[in-house]
Amino acid sequence: MKHDPDISVKLGRLSLKNPLVLASGVMGTSPELLHRVALSGAGAVTAKSCGPTLRTGHPNPVMVAWEHGLLNAIGLTNPGVDDEVKLLMDAKQRLNPLNVPLIASIFAGSAEEFGEVASIVAEAEPDLVEVNISCPNVHDDFGLPFAADAKSAAAVTRAVKQKIGGIPIAVKLAPNVPDIGRIAKSVVDAGSDVITAINTMPGMVIDVDAAQPVLHNRSGGLSGPALKPIAVRCVAEIAQFVDVPIIGTGGVLTGRDAAEMMMAGATAVGVGSALWYRGPDAIKLIKAELQDFLRENGYKSVCEIFRKAL
Amino acid sequence: MGGKFEARKVTAISKINPVTSWIRFDGDIYAQPGQFVMVWLPKIGEKPFSIAELNPLGLLVVDVGPFSHALQALQVGDSLWVKGPLGQGFSITGERLLLVGGGYGSAPLLALAKKARAQNITVDVCLGARSEAGLLLSDAFLELGCQVSYATEDGSLGWHGLVTDIVEQKIQAIAYDLLCACGPTGLLSALSNICKTHRLDNQLSWEAHMRCGMGLCGSCLVSQNIDELLPVGWLACYDGPVFYQKFRD
């Protein structure tokens, strides 16, 4: 009798039943929605980023599909970290019995403020804290993302690390930098336990009949199939520079896409836009396809494909 | 897939009461009654609208804010942009339907009634509102051959009280196969309970604050705190707006 391939992975100190992680931003901050995605088979789930105070986000339109992907500018809608802590606690109670780790996500306007948000979010005791230094949609409020510069990225990492009370952190990097490997190295040297790569790519879609950008924010973050080759390259480059685990995120829609991301050096694989292309239960489908791929190719464990293409 | 915007031209616009317009567009939309579209007016904004007419596409627009005000100011020949159809709509089963509309909730029920009447299905309609002026589209339902009953909270037309009162009376008198409803959350919760008591299959169209309309941002969660019969993490824009509850085989 053939056994199912082992698809469990270790993401630093965390044990994941499978490598598929709900990417931050998708499904917002609601505990019920994180619960639903966990029930659909996710290895871990990431809440939408929270900041120091409530943000309603950008006016509509906030999302549009185009030929090869999606473009969104939600604008970091979140209830503020004080209320987010309560939501994370509720989510944790729902996820614990399912054995699905909870990843919180934070953003802020300065390294010092990142530290303050980190110390509050730590009260919810998430299993990992993602540090979002790379949202492409809030230039007007926050200026250039910290992910654009190795020194600022490291400063934020240190500030969070000091205040997070021993919870592991994953700094989330931006694709639109000249040297992502060097930036990854600087945040790992500053204490990042995991790297999440990548955030969405800045983009714009103009409707030529309307002669206007479709999104109210004009530009947005590009995700979906068009992002995947960019993400795979970034992950492969980061994997050459650092030894920490990588959550490879960008355009993964199928089990074969997930395998590709892992062959590039990702330990876990973020899933986001797939929930539009394949529905809210996308992770269940991707997980089954990943298992099929491993079985058909004679792999006994998903670990065997890790870094295989490097 | 319905994630892109498509320009549509206004072919007709008529006021059906001082604050409500019926806007008709060029071309049909291939949708189920109860599905919705996101409507974008460049530089003004984007809002969800349920589809009130399929062939050609027609929307019921109530002047409640700057966006709907701008929509009502459109002229024949002007363009607007439509993304959709999105979500899950109504699905007709059985021989005798009861439709319940609260206020502007009658809009998607009209498209449903039209489809059901084309299949020779008997359609009874209960419309409820605060007063007579809020009862919408009743002539359109009558023209389709539906039997229409009214309830107003101020007693200005029909039953003096809540629409759920006349729904109870009808369910007790007539063996319906399915109840379909659209309206405010309080009305739907009450109808959900009534249907549970009578074990009547129902399809309720829930409203929620929609942002992306594509099942990704999580804004339109309808929580189990609102109706315990809903599954965990139910999204009005993707899983709904219409939720099916079956009691009979």
Side-chain angles (χ1 to χ4, degrees):
Chain A
M1 193 183 116
K2 275 203 159 182
H3 291 285
D4 273 344
D6 177 11
I7 54 168
S8 65
V9 296
K10 290 284 259 182
L11 186 70
R13 303 207 303 253
L14 307 190
S15 296
L16 273 51
K17 289 188 284 188
N18 69 69
L20 304 172
V21 176
L22 176 71
S24 180
V26 181
M27 294 291 181
T29 53
S30 144
E32 258 190 65
L33 286 166
L34 296 174
H35 188 184
R36 175 181 181 169
V37 177
L39 288 171
S40 82
V45 296
T46 316
K48 188 167 174 70
S49 301
C50 71
T53 52
L54 175 144
R55 276 179 67 91
T56 52
H58 296 310
N60 272 36
V62 293
M63 192 177 298
V64 66
W66 56 288
E67 284 77 0
H68 309 290
L70 302 177
L71 192 76
N72 89 82
I74 305 281
L76 291 174
T77 303
N78 82 99
V81 66
D82 292 319
D83 283 342
E84 177 66 8
V85 164
K86 295 172 204 150
L87 297 176
L88 289 168
M89 285 173 169
D90 180 355
K92 213 171 141 67
Q93 283 197 337
R94 292 165 176 268
L95 299 178
N96 274 347
L98 303 171
N99 203 11
V100 174
L102 172 65
I103 306 175
S105 175
I106 58 171
F107 72 89
S110 67
E112 192 188 357
E113 205 175 54
F114 259 104
E116 288 162 17
V117 175
S119 68
I120 299 169
V121 89
E123 292 168 18
E125 298 179 14
D127 298 288
L128 179 72
V129 174
E130 198 164 86
V131 185
N132 181 2
I133 59 168
S134 47
C135 179
N137 297 330
V138 289
H139 282 213
D140 292 349
D141 296 340
F142 296 108
L144 202 62
F146 297 101
D149 173 71
K151 272 188 190 153
S152 335
V156 169
T157 308
R158 274 191 298 273
V160 171
K161 196 71 187 170
Q162 275 172 14
K163 296 286 180 73
I164 203 68
I167 298 170
I169 67 170
V171 175
K172 186 166 185 176
L173 300 183
N176 49 322
V177 294
D179 190 355
I180 198 167
R182 198 170 53 83
I183 292 174
K185 175 93 171 54
S186 72
V187 300
V188 169
D189 289 346
S192 193
D193 305 277
V194 173
I195 294 286
T196 304
I198 52 179
N199 211 315
T200 54
M201 183 83 187
M204 184 183 284
V205 171
I206 290 171
D207 186 294
V208 294
D209 296 313
Q212 282 294 316
V214 175
L215 299 185
H216 182 273
N217 190 51
R218 302 181 70 83
S219 71
L222 189 157
S223 66
L227 192 63
K228 195 186 65 172
I230 298 173
V232 169
R233 188 207 71 94
C234 287
V235 168
E237 187 167 328
I238 294 164
Q240 314 273 12
F241 274 80
V242 300
D243 285 330
V244 301
I246 302 165
I247 305 175
T249 305
V252 169
L253 302 191
T254 66
R256 293 177 68 90
D257 293 344
E260 184 180 357
M261 202 61 90
M262 297 185 80
M263 287 181 180
T267 297
V269 178
V271 177
S273 301
L275 277 74
W276 157 249
Y277 290 99
R278 307 191 69 188
D281 288 332
I283 287 181
K284 188 186 205 167
L285 306 173
I286 298 171
K287 189 170 84 174
E289 291 161 356
L290 177 62
Q291 272 174 323
D292 288 346
F293 171 81
L294 296 170
R295 194 183 304 109
E296 283 160 16
N297 290 279
Y299 296 111
K300 290 187 183 62
S301 158
V302 75
C303 300
E304 290 172 40
I305 65 170
F306 176 58
R307 296 178 68 100
K308 200 169 166 71
L310 294 184
Chain B
M1 225 169 315
K4 293 177 198 166
F5 284 104
E6 187 191 334
R8 295 264 189 166
K9 280 205 177 359
V10 175
T11 56
I13 183 159
S14 53
K15 283 255 178 199
I16 67 167
N17 74 26
V19 292
T20 312
S21 296
W22 181 272
I23 306 182
R24 198 168 266 169
F25 301 91
D26 62 336
D28 297 344
I29 185 159
Y30 299 96
Q32 298 169 305
Q35 285 189 293
F36 71 100
V37 291
M38 298 296 287
V39 174
W40 171 45
L41 277 178
K43 295 188 171 176
I44 296 169
E46 179 201 35
K47 297 274 181 199
F49 284 85
S50 54
I51 299 167
E53 191 176 25
L54 303 169
N55 324 97
L57 172 63
L59 305 175
L60 188 74
V61 178
V62 187
D63 191 356
V64 291
F67 186 81
S68 46
H69 198 72
L71 274 184
Q72 292 197 339
L74 290 173
Q75 305 288 320
V76 171
D78 285 350
S79 290
L80 57 57
W81 280 256
V82 171
K83 181 164 87 176
L86 298 164
Q88 173 185 252
F90 296 105
S91 171
I92 299 168
T93 55
E95 303 297 317
R96 182 136 207 178
L97 299 190
L98 178 61
L99 310 188
V100 185
Y104 306 113
S106 51
L109 298 179
L110 184 62
L112 176 64
K114 196 168 179 180
K115 189 173 172 184
R117 292 299 299 138
Q119 297 170 29
N120 251 331
I121 290 169
T122 306
V123 179
D124 293 350
V125 181
C126 295
L127 298 178
R130 227 164 272 150
S131 65
E132 187 182 350
L135 295 168
L136 295 176
L137 303 174
S138 105
D139 291 347
F141 285 110
L142 290 168
E143 274 169 34
L144 290 171
C146 306
Q147 195 214 78
V148 187
S149 315
Y150 309 97
T152 51
E153 288 171 40
D154 66 358
S156 49
L157 186 72
W159 173 262
H160 187 171
L162 297 174
V163 70
T164 44
D165 301 335
I166 55 173
V167 169
E168 275 274 14
Q169 292 162 16
K170 291 195 89 76
I171 291 177
Q172 279 170 19
I174 299 166
Y176 291 104
D177 295 313
L178 179 67
L179 178 149
C180 295
C182 182
T185 302
L187 169 63
L188 298 187
S189 296
L191 290 172
S192 178
N193 282 327
I194 291 170
C195 290
K196 203 160 107 183
T197 308
H198 295 275
R199 301 193 62 74
L200 174 58
D201 291 352
N202 60 87
Q203 299 179 4
L204 307 181
S205 179
W206 294 88
E207 56 179 19
H209 174 61
M210 278 183 201
R211 290 195 70 205
C212 80
M214 294 166 67
L216 286 178
C217 75
S219 302
C220 66
L221 168 74
V222 183
S223 167
Q224 290 181 312
N225 299 333
I226 290 176
D227 189 338
E228 59 182 21
L229 294 176
L230 291 166
V232 65
W234 194 81
L235 293 170
C237 80
Y238 195 99
D239 304 298
V242 180
F243 180 67
Y244 298 15
Q245 183 64 47
K246 264 187 96 63
F247 293 102
R248 305 168 185 173
D249 292 330

